[in-house]
Amino acid sequence: MTDGQGGTGAFAAKVFGVDIGGSGIKGAPVDLGRGELAEERRKVLTPHPATPDAVLDGVVEVVRHFDWSGLPVGVTFPGVVRNGVTLTAANVDKGWIGTDLASRLGGRLGCPVTVLNDADAAGVAEVAFGAARGVKGTVIVLTLGTGIGSAVFTDGQLVPNTELGHLELDGHEAEKRASTKVKEDEDLSWSHWARRVRKYLQHLEMLFSPELFVLGGGVSRKAHKFLPLIEGVRAEIVPARLQNNAGIVGAAMAAAAAAGDAG
Ligand code: BGC
């Protein structure tokens, strides 16, 4: 049986993924067999202020661009998400706290919607298709961007909503010391910033003793500029592999998993 999206099985071939970020709302149908975008992604600029209503309009625009109807959609959100409800809003409009994103979006799109934390989504994709594939034990995926997102896995199993970017480092929240936004805002050199990232990783290592750190976010493309500067961490440290599309792929995977559970 075909699923109407060019593949076989209920949702085996393509599910839609959307990544809500600080600068853009990006989405595309995802080829779940390969962990890749099945079509070129569509991006609209994130509205400012990024209120729930304005962002929902953006997500709907991205999904409608593809004529997507009825089939599951997965969406990332840069905050804690439980049962489709967004519970924190560190770097987005505070109106998000307590918003039932899954129901509101599902109502507008007329399809099942699954929502998860943005770093969790990126991590899920890296574990399935990228830098953490097949790694046993504890893996910590960090997204370094406007904030710092975290996804913690043991033997490939996600512990959701870990929020390790808000751990205290030198009397500040870690993401206020070591995010890439801070690097830009404070005009830090690569070596200065790498020292902060090292300190943060050492702190996480003291708490979790992971086998592997995967560093994601846009800066992972420039890993050669700072990874060699990070010494004194026992765990292996590697750049993320799916880079910009990890969130979209992970969102689609979560939606497919939810559809499988429901069916
Ligand atoms: C949020 C996290 C998010 C991270 C990256 C943090 O400020 O609290 O939920 O994953 O930023 O967007």
Side-chain angles (χ1 to χ4, degrees):
M1 198 178 94
T2 71
D3 59 10
Q5 297 291 319
T8 54
F11 305 115
K14 287 188 213 162
V15 170
F16 204 95
V18 183
D19 195 16
I20 299 178
S23 60
I25 300 169
K26 298 156 279 180
V30 172
D31 179 334
L32 292 173
R34 301 157 78 91
E36 290 170 2
L37 306 194
E39 288 178 52
E40 198 177 322
R41 69 184 194 179
R42 174 78 168 178
K43 174 175 172 177
V44 301
L45 294 181
T46 304
H48 288 290
T51 58
D53 284 341
V55 170
L56 276 163
D57 287 345
V59 176
V60 169
E61 188 183 328
V62 167
V63 178
R64 293 244 165 94
H65 173 76
F66 293 88
D67 227 0
W68 192 263
S69 65
L71 290 165
V73 173
V75 182
T76 75
F77 179 77
V80 171
V81 182
R82 269 176 53 206
N83 302 322
V85 180
T86 57
L87 296 178
T88 66
N91 292 306
V92 286
D93 189 84
K94 301 299 172 223
W96 279 101
I97 298 171
T99 294
D100 192 338
L101 176 55
S103 299
R104 287 184 60 183
L105 193 57
R108 287 192 56 183
L109 293 173
C111 65
V113 171
T114 303
V115 186
L116 78 167
N117 173 262
D118 56 357
D120 285 349
V124 161
E126 288 295 332
V127 164
F129 299 106
R133 188 173 189 157
V135 180
K136 294 260 174 248
T138 302
V139 172
I140 300 183
V141 180
L142 298 169
T143 59
L144 306 168
T146 309
I148 294 181
S150 61
V152 177
F153 296 84
T154 54
D155 292 342
Q157 192 66 40
L158 173 70
V159 180
N161 293 312
T162 44
E163 294 292 318
L164 301 180
H166 299 287
L167 278 178
E168 191 182 310
L169 193 67
D170 292 335
H172 302 269
E173 279 186 289
E175 73 172 19
K176 300 275 186 278
R177 297 284 295 165
S179 67
T180 47
K181 178 171 188 298
V182 169
K183 178 182 183 306
E184 281 156 28
D185 289 353
E186 297 182 19
D187 200 14
L188 302 178
S189 65
W190 284 107
S191 64
H192 190 160
W193 183 67
R195 277 201 299 279
R196 293 188 181 185
V197 175
R198 178 187 62 191
K199 205 159 186 193
Y200 177 51
L201 296 180
Q202 285 173 331
H203 190 62
L204 292 176
E205 181 153 74
M206 186 264 292
L207 294 170
F208 295 97
S209 299
E211 312 294 325
L212 175 70
F213 285 110
V214 178
L215 302 188
V219 78
S220 56
R221 263 170 300 180
K222 298 186 185 146
H224 59 283
K225 299 208 178 190
F226 69 96
L227 275 193
L229 305 174
I230 300 178
E231 290 168 347
V233 177
R234 279 191 312 275
E236 196 185 345
I237 311 169
V238 296
R241 237 181 260 155
L242 282 82
Q243 297 182 344
N244 269 338
N245 295 330
I248 298 176
V249 172
M253 289 176 64
D261 287 348

